[in-house]
Amino acid sequence: MKKNHIAMGLLVMMAFATGIWWYFRPAVLGNINHASTEPETSVSTISFSGEAGDRIKLSFQSTIENGNLDIVVCDAKGTVVKELDRAKRLETFVTLDDTDTYTLEADYRDFIGNFQITVYKES
């Protein structure tokens, strides 16, 4: 009987923790997924709105077999506000200076491989 109470208490605590995480999880503002088995040159973009002071999380992972991949976040005027370092896996943050529409741009040249970038707004 005592084991049942402990198990039930653990389940309630896990459900509560999951609910808190679900409520406070970062909002996904957009993502780019791309894979290529032949050399490819292009630019993929997504746009998202942000307010001054928003903390934005950029989560990135890639496998680059060939070519170049450059990833930047620009404001509506085209000014680069964040340039991602080249890495296989990276999580980085930027605090927005202005209320604006921002663009995440992945510029790839002679690219073979895959990459995924997700943009989150931190609570």
Side-chain angles (χ1 to χ4, degrees), residues 6-19:
I6 292 172
M8 186 59 85
L10 288 174
L11 285 174
V12 168
M13 286 176 27
M14 287 179 11
F16 183 71
T18 301

Side-chain angles (χ1 to χ4, degrees), residues 6-101:
I6 292 172
M8 186 59 85
L10 288 174
L11 285 174
V12 168
M13 286 176 27
M14 287 179 11
F16 183 71
T18 301
I20 288 174
W21 174 84
W22 187 259
Y23 183 77
F24 289 105
R25 77 188 185 286
V28 175
L29 300 176
N31 63 57
I32 299 174
N33 294 303
H34 184 78
S36 178
T37 57
E38 298 292 325
E40 190 173 343
T41 298
S42 189
V43 177
S44 296
T45 63
I46 57 169
S47 295
F48 59 93
S49 296
E51 296 181 11
D54 282 353
R55 186 168 189 237
I56 303 299
K57 176 181 172 183
L58 303 161
S59 180
F60 167 72
Q61 59 185 27
S62 70
T63 303
I64 300 173
E65 297 174 22
N66 186 66
N68 294 313
L69 173 62
D70 295 312
I71 302 168
V72 296
V73 176
C74 299
D75 63 16
K77 296 174 188 170
T79 304
V80 174
V81 296
K82 182 72 173 180
E83 184 172 351
L84 273 66
D85 295 330
R86 294 183 181 176
K88 289 186 178 192
R89 175 173 238 117
L90 175 71
E91 286 192 352
T92 188
F93 298 87
V94 61
T95 300
L96 304 178
D97 291 333
D98 300 306
T99 299
D100 204 346
T101 299

